[in-house]
């Protein structure tokens, strides 16, 4: 459903967070580091974001989705040659490339399956090439998870349902963003705010794994050894994981 622009053309921080899904904490952090400062303030000092601010936020989030760090995003936005249109085009290209790779493989699999069903001859080269791609994708997963673990994860996926899974993925993406913001801001891992994020980090992992330590180890091994998973830079995720671990250790010491 189409959402209308604010009547006054401005949004308070809570309103903007509710409309975009970007947390209030993240918006505050962007303001603190000068990445996205609101254009106005109310008489009582509350932040007011304009339409131009929303467009800048969209650029920031698009560049984040492409794997840029906050400092890199700052430099990009200071580049007069990088227009809002260019940022959107880059984001579109990144998504299209991911979709295209998946669609190419899906199309080949469907074509081969249809020809096999009709008893039509499929060349050995075509069949082997397609099979190799499928093997590579499944092998990456099976390299780290046992058959029993994969079966259990598939069962949990069915139990969750697609709507809950989408909600989980959205919360996980936002949590990663919040932890990254704190790490890049140089916040002490022992800070209460970071400790709360670290606790939620572990809760989401437990929800994904069902509390199974073996599955958690398998997932950890995959993120440690692969360079890229689902288009995500695993090296950066390892940095975030180390930061979270320090925060958890601080929590343990405090108890």
């Amino acid at each position: 459903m189409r959402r209308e622009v604010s009547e006054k053309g401005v949004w308070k921080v809570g309103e903007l967070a509710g409309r975009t899904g970007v947390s209030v904490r993240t918006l505050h952090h962007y303001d603190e580091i000068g990445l996205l400062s609101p254009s106005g303030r109310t008489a009582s000092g509350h932040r007011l974001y304009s339409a131009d601010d929303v467009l800048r936020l969209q650029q920031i989030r698009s560049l984040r989705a492409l794997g840029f760090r906050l400092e890199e995003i700052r430099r990009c936005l200071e580049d007069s040659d990088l227009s809002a249109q260019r940022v959107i085009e880059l984001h579109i290209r990144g998504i299209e490339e991911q979709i295209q790779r998946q669609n190419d493989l899906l199309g080949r699999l469907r074509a081969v399956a249809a020809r096999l069903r009709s008893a039509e001859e499929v060349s050995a080269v075509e069949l082997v090439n397609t099979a190799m791609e499928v093997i590579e994708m499944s092998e990456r997963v099976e390299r780290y998870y046992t058959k029993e673990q994969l079966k259990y994860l598939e069962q949990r996926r069915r139990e969750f349902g697609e709507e809950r899974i989408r909600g989980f993925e959205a919360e996980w993406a936002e949590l990663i963003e919040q932890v990254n913001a704190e790490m890049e801001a140089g916040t002490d891992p022992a800070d209460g705010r970071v400790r709360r994020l670290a606790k939620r980090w572990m809760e989401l992992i437990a929800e994904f794994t069902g509390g199974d330590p073996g599955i958690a180890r398998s997932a950890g091994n995959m993120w440690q050894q692969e360079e890229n998973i689902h288009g995500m830079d695993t090296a950066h995720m390892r940095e975030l994981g180390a930061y979270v671990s320090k925060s958890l250790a601080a929590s343990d010491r405090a108890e």
Side-chain angles (χ1 to χ4, degrees):
M1 183 171 61
R2 186 172 180 267
R3 291 175 173 173
E4 299 299 326
V5 173
S6 169
E7 219 174 89
K8 298 179 181 179
V10 292
W11 295 263
K12 291 182 179 179
V13 66
E15 294 172 335
L16 185 60
R19 292 285 295 273
T20 63
V22 179
S23 73
V24 171
R25 169 60 194 159
T26 297
L27 291 171
H28 283 177
H29 179 62
Y30 288 170
D31 186 11
E32 290 165 4
I33 64 175
L35 187 60
L36 174 64
S37 296
S39 296
R41 298 267 179 173
T42 65
S44 56
H46 294 294
R47 294 170 174 85
L48 290 176
Y49 292 85
S50 69
D52 286 340
D53 296 332
V54 174
L55 293 176
R56 184 176 175 90
L57 177 60
Q58 180 272 313
Q59 289 178 283
I60 292 169
R61 302 304 285 184
S62 289
L63 290 169
R64 285 292 293 131
L66 292 170
F68 285 77
R69 308 283 183 86
L70 294 183
E71 186 54 40
E72 292 172 331
I73 292 173
R74 184 200 305 279
R75 291 197 295 269
C76 285
L77 295 181
E78 290 172 352
D79 182 354
S80 59
D81 292 332
L82 188 68
S83 64
Q85 178 182 343
R86 179 59 178 155
V87 172
I88 292 175
E89 288 172 349
L90 287 171
H91 198 173
I92 290 171
R93 182 185 302 173
I95 293 174
E96 286 178 341
E97 288 175 354
Q98 293 179 33
I99 293 173
Q100 189 60 52
R101 285 194 296 270
Q102 295 294 320
N103 283 340
D104 285 347
L105 180 57
L106 179 61
R108 288 198 295 276
L109 285 170
R110 283 176 171 166
V112 170
R115 288 160 64 185
L116 290 172
R117 281 196 302 270
S118 64
E120 182 180 340
E121 183 178 348
V122 178
S123 73
V125 171
E126 181 181 2
L127 190 58
V128 169
N129 285 341
T130 303
M132 287 176 68
E133 286 195 51
V134 175
I135 291 169
E136 193 279 330
M137 292 178 67
S138 60
E139 183 66 21
R140 171 181 286 191
V141 175
E142 293 178 0
R143 191 181 305 149
Y144 301 100
Y145 295 95
T146 66
K147 291 181 179 179
E148 291 75 16
Q149 288 174 339
L150 291 173
K151 184 177 180 181
Y152 175 70
L153 289 173
E154 179 58 31
Q155 177 186 336
R156 285 184 65 76
R157 186 177 184 87
R158 289 196 299 269
E159 291 172 352
F160 284 167
E162 289 304 316
E163 184 175 350
R164 187 177 174 190
I165 289 171
R166 284 194 296 271
F168 173 85
E169 291 172 344
E171 183 178 0
W172 184 245
E174 178 61 23
L175 181 60
I176 289 172
E177 176 65 29
Q178 291 174 329
V179 172
N180 186 74
E182 298 293 353
M183 187 177 74
E184 293 195 355
T187 307
D188 188 335
D191 184 275
R193 188 168 55 243
V194 182
R195 286 161 58 183
R196 286 190 292 274
L197 292 174
K199 179 183 177 183
R200 186 54 185 153
W201 183 288
M202 297 308 297
E203 287 172 348
L204 288 182
I205 289 177
E207 186 172 356
F208 167 72
T209 63
D212 186 317
I215 294 178
R217 282 194 298 273
S218 296
N221 289 337
M222 183 166 70
W223 282 96
Q224 284 292 327
Q225 297 181 40
E226 295 294 329
E227 294 182 0
N228 184 287
I229 298 177
H230 305 311
M232 189 178 295
D233 176 17
T234 56
H236 185 52
M237 282 298 293
R238 287 193 290 274
E239 290 179 24
L240 294 178
Y243 183 66
V244 167
S245 295
K246 291 178 182 178
S247 183
L248 293 171
S251 293
D252 290 340
R253 288 194 297 271
E255 292 178 355

